[in-house]
Amino acid sequence: MAEEKKRTRRANGESAIYLGKDERWHARVPMGYKDDGTPYRRHLTRPTRKELVDEVRRLEKQRDEGSARQPGKPWTVAKWLEHWVENIAKPVVSENTYAGYEVAVRVHLVPRVGRHRIDRLEPEHLESLYRRMQSAGSKAGTAHQAHRTARTALGEAVRRGHAAKNAAALAKPPRMEEDENEVEPYSVDEVQSLLLEVNKRRNSARWMLALALGLRQGETLGLRWSDVDLDNEYLKLRRNRLRPKYEHGCGEAAPCGRKAGYCPVRVQVRRETKNTKSRAGRRAVPLPGPLVVMLRSHREAQARERAAAGNLWTESEYEYVFTKALGGPLSPNTDYHDWKRLLEDAGVRDGRLHDARHTAGTVLMLLGVPDRVIDQIMGWEPGGAARMRARYLHVTDPMLKEAARKIERAIWGAPENLAVDKDQDNEA
């Protein structure tokens, strides 16, 4: 026992293990350095030497892998998420991505799991959160958004040594029902019904760009006349319209009492557009002849509106293709409600605005357009194009019937041959 109590000189960075006066085994494990540069050691104690050695080895492995908790007061989930979303995520992600993160953190994660220490958060805590969200009326997709946000934020905490594991990566998010993601593209008859109604409206070309070419909402609303070449019949997609964000302009001395978006002197705090982040998103798209005609007519109508509005016209340095009646960029929210009214007035079943993009992709496939050209028009990255085609291009009834006819010809022969064989059987 006396030999076991004796301490010997250790190499730099080696853990010290010894039997204390309390008859328990102790260890001092070097873990690196504190913020001020002084060495940081973790103290462990166990009743037996074997238990202590096992724990020391586990901690040393975490230290060497960079996953051990660093010195200092542990983060709570709330403090880490709030720090992460504002100081780590916000400077490097798009405004729309940040907005999604911020809502998930503020509305769902912090109020429900924020009091846990980040290094003691368990997958079961998050799984319970997802169940409670759905019990309170949230859709599975909303719970998934909270899950993805937590997984990203906690992954960064693990990389920085604030937690040993990512509880969200281990947690099981709620199952997404198949019908939530199921999309039925509009048929040719439905598109023609929409076309008849579209021709009665302002900005009619806006909707045909979605139905015929599959342009995303942000791409269409961010389109400028400098991006459109009607003589050569193509347009260039280079930027997206962002959803506006406002702050009060009324001041604390005389608050208007409304939400920021409805403040009479509201201030826009988010830029109008941002450049498309992917190379595939920056692309040239061919314009069918009828769309060229629609865009020419639209440009003339816009010039008449500008002249009639006079000083009331809102000038914009960007010269958007689609504007409000008195100028200025269209709001994505207004555009969404216009789409819903269009469907209702045309007598076409309800659907998301993004379903128009599914429709355009499916029509391109029906027409036999090569995959590479479809990818160019739709703006899909080469590495993920096959996955996106599987998601967006839908097998329709006409395609299934054509496949059945091909099988019939291959196995049973051409229809006329079948008729000849049948006549011969009757004569026999």
Side-chain angles (χ1 to χ4, degrees):
M1 183 68 70
E3 292 181 0
E4 290 179 335
K5 291 183 179 182
K6 184 179 180 180
R7 303 191 190 196
T8 58
R9 181 177 295 276
R10 294 170 288 105
N12 288 336
E14 184 180 349
S15 300
I17 299 177
Y18 58 94
L19 184 65
K21 293 181 180 180
D22 57 358
E23 297 301 322
R24 289 175 61 87
W25 286 92
H26 296 258
R28 303 280 177 175
V29 184
M31 299 299 292
Y33 297 90
K34 300 178 182 179
D35 291 341
D36 60 3
T38 58
Y40 167 58
R41 295 180 179 86
R42 187 85 61 84
H43 174 240
L44 301 175
T45 180
R46 296 292 185 273
T48 68
R49 192 177 195 280
K50 182 180 183 308
E51 288 178 284
L52 185 63
V53 169
D54 290 343
E55 186 63 19
V56 167
R57 287 174 178 169
R58 185 188 66 81
L59 190 58
E60 288 176 338
K61 182 180 179 181
Q62 288 184 355
R63 176 198 64 194
D64 297 340
E65 293 175 345
S67 61
R69 180 172 60 85
Q70 295 303 304
K73 187 176 180 180
W75 292 82
T76 64
V77 172
K79 290 295 184 184
W80 172 254
L81 289 177
E82 290 165 351
H83 168 76
W84 169 81
V85 75
E86 291 298 328
N87 301 299
I88 299 175
K90 187 176 183 178
V92 297
V93 301
S94 70
E95 286 91 335
N96 288 344
T97 300
Y98 163 75
Y101 285 161
E102 192 276 332
V103 169
V105 167
R106 173 174 50 84
V107 177
H108 301 297
L109 295 169
V110 167
R112 293 179 170 93
V113 295
R115 294 184 180 181
H116 291 283
R117 268 179 41 172
I118 195 171
D119 57 334
R120 293 181 181 175
L121 183 68
E122 298 294 337
E124 292 77 13
H125 296 143
L126 292 169
E127 290 163 349
S128 174
L129 161 65
Y130 306 148
R131 289 194 298 271
R132 282 180 283 145
M133 286 178 63
Q134 289 185 282
S135 297
S138 294
K139 294 182 178 179
T142 306
H144 266 265
Q145 171 67 11
H147 172 73
R148 289 191 297 270
T149 302
R151 185 178 60 197
T152 304
L154 295 176
E156 188 64 35
V158 170
R159 281 191 291 274
R160 298 182 182 219
H162 302 311
K165 67 181 180 184
N166 184 341
L170 300 173
K172 299 294 184 184
R175 181 174 179 270
M176 295 283 284
E177 295 296 333
E178 292 184 3
D179 58 355
E180 285 191 35
N181 290 324
E182 188 175 350
V183 175
E184 184 181 352
Y186 291 108
S187 66
V188 174
D189 289 340
E190 288 174 319
V191 172
Q192 290 174 344
S193 296
L194 288 170
L195 178 58
L196 291 174
E197 185 61 34
V198 155
N199 287 328
K200 305 173 186 177
R201 296 171 178 259
R202 284 188 75 249
N203 294 330
S204 58
R206 181 264 173 276
W207 305 114
M208 294 316 299
L209 286 175
L211 290 163
L213 298 177
L215 269 61
R216 302 175 179 92
Q217 183 190 46
E219 293 172 339
T220 308
L221 300 189
L223 197 63
R224 305 174 188 176
W225 282 116
S226 59
D227 301 325
V228 181
D229 188 338
L230 296 179
D231 292 332
N232 293 303
E233 300 185 348
Y234 74 92
L235 55 82
K236 291 182 179 179
L237 297 173
R238 294 183 270 203
R239 60 190 62 82
N240 286 309
R241 170 84 164 100
L242 294 173
R243 190 174 296 278
K245 183 178 181 180
Y246 302 102
E247 288 183 355
H248 283 282
C250 52
E252 297 181 0
C256 65
R258 305 176 183 178
K259 291 184 178 180
Y262 297 95
C263 177
V265 285
R266 66 188 183 186
V267 179
Q268 167 72 280
V269 295
R270 180 177 291 168
R271 53 182 173 161
E272 289 183 3
T273 63
K274 71 177 182 68
N275 292 335
T276 303
K277 62 181 179 181
S278 70
R279 181 176 299 177
R282 296 185 293 274
R283 63 197 190 277
V285 176
L287 290 171
L291 254 177
V292 173
V293 174
M294 290 184 77
L295 285 168
R296 289 188 190 278
S297 175
H298 171 70
R299 186 165 59 182
E300 294 170 359
Q302 191 178 80
R304 290 193 296 270
E305 287 180 341
R306 182 194 297 264
N311 294 334
L312 297 177
W313 183 266
T314 301
E315 293 291 347
S316 172
E317 59 178 310
Y318 300 125
E319 293 189 349
Y320 291 107
V321 173
F322 302 109
T323 67
K324 293 180 285 190
L326 293 176
L330 283 174
S331 164
N333 186 53
T334 301
D335 183 68
Y336 166 82
H337 290 294
D338 286 345
W339 166 255
K340 292 295 186 180
R341 282 192 292 270
L342 172 62
L343 294 176
E344 183 178 354
D345 293 345
V348 173
R349 60 186 166 84
D350 189 29
R352 305 174 306 168
L353 176 53
H354 204 67
D355 291 351
R357 182 165 166 79
H358 287 258
T359 300
T362 302
V363 168
L364 291 171
M365 180 174 62
L366 278 169
L367 296 174
V369 176
D371 288 348
R372 184 175 179 181
V373 179
I374 294 178
D375 298 343
Q376 164 84 8
I377 292 174
M378 299 294 286
W380 292 333
E381 291 280 4
R387 177 175 56 84
M388 297 306 290
R389 283 196 296 271
R391 178 180 176 185
Y392 277 84
L393 308 187
H394 304 269
V395 178
T396 61
D397 287 344
M399 295 170 66
L400 292 173
K401 290 178 181 178
E402 176 60 24
R405 284 193 290 269
K406 289 181 178 179
I407 295 171
E408 177 184 350
R409 288 193 293 269
I411 296 178
W412 288 279
E416 57 269 20
N417 293 337
L418 289 175
V420 170
D421 293 341
K422 188 173 181 180
D423 291 341
Q424 290 175 349
D425 290 340
N426 290 334
E427 291 176 3

